[in-house]
């Protein structure tokens, strides 16, 4: 009789015990499938948010700006920005270009004062770059050249403003002096990133440049690349363009070169792999326990098989095969359950708005788990490998069993 | 010989009188010099920070200790105004359709990125109303003999709980000042490089202020032209006229 047949017969002989092992592996596999889907969704979200709102796929700045970023050094700018943006937009592999003028702002209202993160943007370019109209909660996009502002819904709520109201913003100019300007709120925007909703104000780029005495300068130009484009190749051509440009000392970095929370995420990913391993080891303890129980319960049978000529190695293989079948069934059931839960969540999303309040990470309030074929397959094989290999620990005892002693012990 | 004895006597009397002066009198005489019924001054602020140096020019109109109006005339901030009336600070910007009234923590913001905060412009009752003063001794500052006066705040409405001031013994003008937090931490240092005499009043005309909490930062105030006891334009310190 083949070992696999004996293993199958043994599994079905005590279906309740086998089911317990399968369920343990399935729960572990399902949890890890969900965890990996959630992490993949988070990674995707973080990458989109970073490339759209923070770093672009590639970012061009004055080479000194990063060093003093906390001080808002408006004078460390990218000059002749419109010409450079035009040049960069014509490069192969560049999908979108967004020249931005970031500035700190203060609003004084009654007894209170509020800080905000202002951004001067070219709304025509920006609407394509970040699908701005999709995020409009009220009102409309500011008209180019007008003293109108688009406020994050949280910021507007904090200051007590709605569409049509005015606010006067005090900021720092390129000459490190100060200036204030009054804007009319033309619309409210609901950014996916909660932190931006509470701080962000968008105004037309030309108005921001006048307000902050910037001329044709911006603080950064963000670029998005075509989906199929090789990031390194596009980065190289952007660097060449930037170097040949006469706008002063500029630096182009792609988003992987910029220190962001993405690097923390990558670090966390490794940690999660270890967590997954522990999950499976935990699930495997049930298999180890079951195999040990089986060995003790089936001592007479093992003794008989050994007396009939089955070697220690064959006995180990038998128990390993049993564990392998249990792991395969458990891992399959777990992965299928994980997929079944992930798929609807991937379209509905999980809302973390309440728990994300006050968190300054570039993560969206609503996260959409993302099923990844590679990681799901990995979970399946990982679960099978860890669970079946763990059966080798108690099975080793079987290989050392003396048939005479085994038969006498019953 | 008689003449020599007379001169010696006068010098001794002056010295004795000088020693005998108490801190209150020193501060009173200094404030008499530095506070004017009305004044109009033109000057500039040279602000040095880690990114380099820049200059902003201004005109100041003042009435006693109570009211001050600063208008910036340099191209970067032309038309911007700061009005202080009693303890209120209002900012006017030509690009803004409303005035900004600073209060609370906002008063600690820096004036045009300089080492002077808006809070430094507040306080109108004079030092003796806000501080308990005591004479700490005498020292020389840049070759000028000075009284050293300690000022400890008795009012909570002051920007600096402790100050130390070096007042010129002859001219009764401030030569140096150090401003401290309640913890004793040095916050700002003022050094007077030049003084100006107009209509018998002597006051600092070139002074550097350095905020000790900022790195590589210093602001130099230079008064180029000063008129004292002049008639000020009517309503110059009113909110209604702030935007003319």
């Amino acid at each position: 009789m083949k070992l696999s047949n004996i293993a199958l017969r043994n599994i079905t002989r005590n279906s309740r015990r086998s089911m317990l092992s399968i369920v343990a592996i399935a729960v572990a596999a399902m949890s890890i499938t969900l965890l990996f889907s959630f992490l993949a969704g988070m990674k995707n979200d973080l990458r989109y948010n970073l490339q759209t709102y923070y770093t672009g796929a590639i970012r061009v700045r004055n080479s000194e700006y990063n060093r003093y970023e906390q001080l808002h050094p408006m004078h460390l700018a990218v000059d002749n920005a419109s010409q450079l943006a035009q040049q960069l937009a014509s490069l192969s592999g560049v999908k979108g270009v967004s020249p931005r003028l970031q500035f700190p702002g203060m609003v004084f209202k009654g007894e209170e004062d509020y800080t905000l993160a202002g951004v001067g943007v070219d709304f025509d370019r920006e609407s394509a770059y970040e699908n701005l109209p999709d995020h409009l909660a009220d009102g409309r996009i500011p008209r180019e050249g007008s003293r109108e502002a688009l406020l994050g819904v949280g910021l507007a709520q904090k200051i007590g403003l709605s569409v049509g109201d005015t606010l006067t913003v005090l900021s720092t100019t390129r000459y490190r002096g100060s200036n204030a300007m009054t804007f009319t709120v033309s619309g409210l925007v609901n950014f996916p990133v909660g932190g931006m909703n509470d701080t962000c104000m968008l105004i037309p780029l030309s108005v921001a440049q006048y307000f902050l005495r910037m001329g044709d300068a911006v603080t950064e130009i963000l670029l998005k690349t075509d989906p199929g484009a090789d990031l390194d190749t596009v980065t190289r051509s952007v660097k060449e363009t930037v170097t040949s440009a006469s706008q002063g000392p500029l630096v182009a970095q792609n988003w992987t070169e910029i220190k962001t929370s993405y690097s923390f995420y990558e670090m966390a990913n490794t940690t999660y792999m270890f967590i997954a391993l522990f999950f499976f080891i935990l699930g495997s303890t049930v298999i180890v326990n079951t195999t040990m129980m089986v060995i003790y319960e089936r001592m007479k049978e093992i003794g008989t098989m050994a007396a009939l000529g089955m070697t220690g190695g064959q006995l180990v293989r038998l128990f390993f095969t049993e564990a392998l079948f249990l792991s395969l069934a458990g891992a399959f059931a777990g992965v299928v359950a994980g997929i079944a839960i992930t798929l609807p969540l991937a379209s509905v999303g999980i809302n973390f708005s309440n728990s994300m309040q006050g968190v300054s990470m570039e993560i969206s309030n609503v996260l959409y788990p993302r099923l990844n074929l590679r990681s799901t397959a990995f979970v399946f094989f990982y679960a099978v490998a860890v669970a079946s290999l763990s059966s080798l620990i108690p099975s080793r005892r079987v290989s050392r069993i003396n048939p005479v002693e085994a038969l006498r012990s019953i | 010989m008689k003449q020599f004895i007379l001169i010696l006597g006068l010098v001794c009397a002056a010295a004795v009188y000088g020693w005998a002066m108490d801190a209150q009198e020193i501060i009173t005489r200094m404030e008499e010099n530095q506070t004017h019924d009305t004044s109009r001054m033109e000057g500039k602020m040279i602000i040095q920070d880690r990114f380099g140096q820049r200059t902003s020019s201004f005109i100041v109109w003042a009435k006693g200790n109570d009211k001050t109006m600063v208008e910036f005339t340099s191209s970067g901030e032309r038309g911007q105004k700061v009005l202080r009336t009693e303890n209120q600070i209002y900012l006017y910007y030509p690009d803004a359709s409303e005035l900004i009234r600073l209060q609370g923590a906002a008063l600690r913001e820096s004036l045009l990125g300089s080492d002077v905060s808006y809070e430094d412009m507040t306080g109108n009752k004079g030092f003796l109303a806000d501080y308990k003063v005591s004479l700490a001794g005498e020292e020389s500052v840049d070759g000028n003999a000075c009284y050293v006066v300690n000022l400890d705040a008795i009012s909570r409405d002051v920007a600096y709980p402790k100050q130390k001031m070096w007042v010129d013994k002859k001219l009764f003008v401030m030569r140096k000042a150090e401003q401290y937090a309640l913890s004793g931490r040095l916050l700002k240092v003022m050094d007077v490089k030049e003084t100006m005499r107009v209509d018998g009043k002597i006051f600092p005309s070139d002074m550097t202020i350095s905020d000790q909490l900022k790195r590589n930062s210093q602001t130099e105030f230079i008064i180029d032209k000063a008129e004292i006891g002049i008639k000020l334009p009517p309503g110059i310190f009113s909110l209604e006229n702030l935007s003319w």
Side-chain angles (χ1 to χ4, degrees):
Chain A
M1 202 174 187
K2 283 171 92 175
L3 276 181
S4 54
N5 291 341
I6 302 172
L8 268 177
R9 195 196 60 197
N10 288 343
I11 287 170
T12 51
R13 239 177 14 186
N14 193 333
S15 56
R16 211 180 296 172
R17 191 166 55 200
S18 300
M19 193 51 73
L20 181 69
S21 301
I22 290 170
V23 168
I25 300 298
V27 168
M30 184 190 72
S31 310
I32 302 304
T33 305
L34 284 174
L35 178 69
F36 280 5
S37 304
F38 182 73
L39 289 176
M42 204 162 138
K43 192 174 177 177
N44 192 49
D45 178 75
L46 194 55
R47 186 172 43 221
Y48 176 81
N49 289 343
L50 284 171
Q51 293 194 6
T52 306
Y53 303 111
Y54 298 93
T55 63
I58 302 164
R59 182 177 72 190
V60 177
R61 275 184 174 180
N62 183 301
S63 55
E64 285 290 288
Y65 187 89
N66 289 349
R67 193 172 157 202
Y68 300 107
E69 189 170 359
Q70 297 299 317
L71 301 171
H72 303 287
M74 309 298 291
H75 62 292
L76 299 174
V78 179
D79 289 314
N80 300 322
S82 48
Q83 188 195 337
L84 183 60
Q86 206 74 32
Q87 273 177 276
L88 294 171
S90 65
L91 292 177
S92 160
V94 173
K95 185 185 166 196
V97 173
S98 168
R100 293 181 186 181
L101 178 46
Q102 311 249 19
F103 61 93
M106 278 188 94
V107 175
F108 302 90
K109 198 178 175 203
E111 303 285 308
E112 301 290 327
D113 52 83
Y114 306 88
T115 54
L116 58 81
V119 192
V121 295
D122 179 336
F123 281 103
D124 289 339
R125 285 181 188 274
E126 201 66 26
S127 294
Y129 190 89
E130 58 169 296
N131 299 324
L132 208 46
D134 291 353
H135 300 304
L136 260 185
D138 195 8
R140 56 169 175 78
I141 303 281
R143 290 190 190 94
E144 185 49 45
S146 68
R147 292 186 183 186
E148 293 179 335
L150 199 57
L151 295 193
V153 285
L155 178 66
Q157 195 178 15
K158 202 161 60 177
I159 308 178
L161 296 171
S162 50
V163 174
D165 291 344
T166 60
L167 77 162
T168 296
V169 181
L170 179 65
S171 189
T172 308
T173 67
R174 182 172 192 160
Y175 303 106
R176 305 196 298 288
S178 60
N179 196 19
M181 191 178 262
T182 304
F183 299 92
T184 304
V185 181
S186 75
L188 303 180
V189 61
N190 197 354
F191 291 107
V193 183
M196 287 178 69
N197 281 332
D198 295 338
T199 56
C200 215
M201 179 186 85
L202 304 182
I203 59 171
L205 181 61
S206 58
V207 176
Q209 285 171 328
Y210 168 76
F211 172 32
L212 306 166
R213 313 286 189 251
M214 295 294 286
D216 185 26
V218 294
T219 50
E220 62 191 16
I221 299 177
L222 304 187
L223 287 87
K224 267 193 175 175
T225 52
D226 285 323
D230 178 53
L231 184 62
D232 290 333
T233 311
V234 183
T235 307
R236 253 196 313 277
S237 57
V238 170
K239 281 182 181 175
E240 279 165 19
T241 309
V242 158
T243 311
S244 63
S246 55
Q247 279 87 346
L250 303 180
V251 62
Q253 291 174 290
N254 71 42
W255 73 289
T256 58
E257 295 169 328
I258 299 166
K259 202 176 168 188
T260 61
S261 52
Y262 197 80
S263 51
F264 292 108
Y265 172 81
E266 294 273 284
M267 223 159 64
N269 227 4
T270 316
T271 315
Y272 290 134
M273 293 292 279
F274 279 105
I275 292 173
L277 178 68
F278 289 127
F279 254 78
F280 286 127
I281 288 174
L282 204 65
S284 303
T285 55
V286 180
I287 291 200
V288 174
N289 188 38
T290 311
T291 315
M292 279 173 78
M293 279 162 56
V294 166
I295 289 168
Y296 284 116
E297 283 175 14
R298 288 156 58 187
M299 199 57 89
K300 188 179 173 186
E301 183 190 329
I302 293 165
T304 310
M305 284 193 289
L308 287 171
M310 220 171 177
T311 63
Q314 282 172 318
L315 285 168
V316 170
R317 278 206 297 281
L318 174 67
F319 283 99
F320 175 76
T321 313
E322 281 183 33
L324 182 68
F325 286 156
L326 292 172
S327 318
L328 280 168
F332 181 75
V335 167
V336 168
I339 292 170
I341 297 172
T342 305
L343 283 177
L345 286 178
S347 56
V348 176
I350 310 169
N351 196 333
F352 289 99
S353 302
N354 290 334
S355 45
M356 289 294 281
Q357 268 177 1
V359 177
S360 59
M361 268 184 83
E362 301 90 348
I363 295 278
S364 300
N365 283 347
V366 179
L367 282 174
Y368 298 89
R370 203 179 150 93
L371 208 56
N372 183 303
L373 190 68
R374 214 168 65 176
S375 68
T376 309
F378 171 77
V379 170
F380 177 78
F381 290 112
Y382 197 59
V384 170
V386 174
S388 50
L389 287 174
S390 64
S391 73
L392 290 175
I393 301 162
S395 303
R396 278 171 57 209
R397 186 186 156 82
V398 175
S399 67
R400 292 195 295 269
I401 282 177
N402 184 329
V404 180
E405 281 177 18
L407 288 167
R408 193 190 297 152
S409 67
I410 309 302
Chain B
M1 186 62 184
K2 274 182 183 177
Q3 201 175 15
F4 174 73
I5 291 168
L6 185 65
I7 292 167
L8 190 68
L10 283 170
V11 168
C12 290
V16 168
Y17 178 69
W19 275 110
M21 280 193 90
D22 65 12
Q24 286 203 4
E25 197 175 345
I26 293 164
I27 294 295
T28 305
R29 289 194 62 179
M30 184 193 79
E31 288 195 306
E32 279 171 5
N33 247 337
Q34 296 185 187
T35 310
H36 315 125
D37 288 341
T38 57
S39 66
R40 181 187 181 278
M41 295 183 187
E42 287 179 28
K44 55 184 169 281
M45 234 177 10
I46 303 169
I47 304 162
Q48 177 82 43
D49 61 20
R50 68 177 81 197
F51 298 120
Q53 185 178 294
R54 64 191 193 277
T55 303
S56 296
S57 53
F58 58 82
I59 304 171
V60 189
W61 291 266
K63 186 178 179 189
N65 263 333
D66 296 336
K67 293 169 181 173
T68 311
M69 162 80 149
V70 184
E71 181 178 358
F72 291 94
T73 52
S74 39
S75 61
E77 46 280 326
R78 181 165 292 138
Q80 295 180 7
K81 294 171 190 171
V82 182
L83 172 67
R84 178 175 77 88
T85 56
E86 295 167 347
N87 259 341
Q88 305 292 331
I89 299 269
Y90 296 92
L91 310 181
Y92 166 75
Y93 291 89
D95 291 321
S97 61
E98 56 189 355
L99 295 176
I100 295 174
R101 182 183 164 213
L102 292 182
Q103 47 193 350
L107 288 167
R108 292 190 202 113
E109 292 292 316
S110 152
L111 171 70
L112 287 185
S114 71
D115 293 70
V116 179
S117 68
Y118 293 104
E119 197 171 33
D120 292 335
M121 297 174 73
T122 59
N124 60 344
K125 299 173 205 154
F127 287 116
L128 295 178
D130 290 330
Y131 290 90
K132 183 183 151 206
V133 296
S134 59
L135 190 59
E138 291 181 16
E139 280 176 21
S140 173
V141 177
D142 296 331
N144 301 299
C146 292
Y147 294 113
V148 184
V149 181
N150 284 334
L151 295 91
D152 292 287
I154 48 175
S155 161
R156 297 181 74 177
D157 298 330
V158 292
Y160 306 101
K162 288 178 186 177
Q163 295 198 46
K164 191 173 181 181
M165 223 170 254
W166 284 257
V167 181
D168 193 301
K169 283 179 73 174
K170 283 184 195 162
L171 303 175
F172 288 95
V173 66
M174 187 186 78
R175 288 284 177 191
K176 185 183 172 183
E178 291 175 348
Q179 296 168 323
Y180 297 87
L182 194 60
S183 62
R185 185 176 186 180
L186 180 60
L187 298 175
K188 281 182 188 169
V189 175
M190 288 192 246
D191 280 300
V192 175
K193 292 159 118 180
E194 300 280 343
T195 58
M196 184 182 262
R197 182 189 288 269
V198 177
D199 293 344
K201 302 266 191 182
I202 302 166
F203 51 88
S205 60
D206 187 343
M207 177 168 72
T208 59
I209 300 175
S210 61
D211 186 334
Q212 301 299 300
L213 305 181
K214 288 183 182 174
R215 205 190 299 168
N216 305 326
S217 181
Q218 180 180 285
T219 301
E220 183 174 3
F221 278 92
I222 299 171
I223 302 297
D224 296 318
K225 188 180 165 191
E227 297 169 274
I228 289 173
I230 56 163
K231 193 178 176 193
L232 296 172
I236 191 168
F237 302 113
S238 69
L239 291 179
E240 292 74 28
N241 282 295
L242 195 56
S243 54
W244 51 249

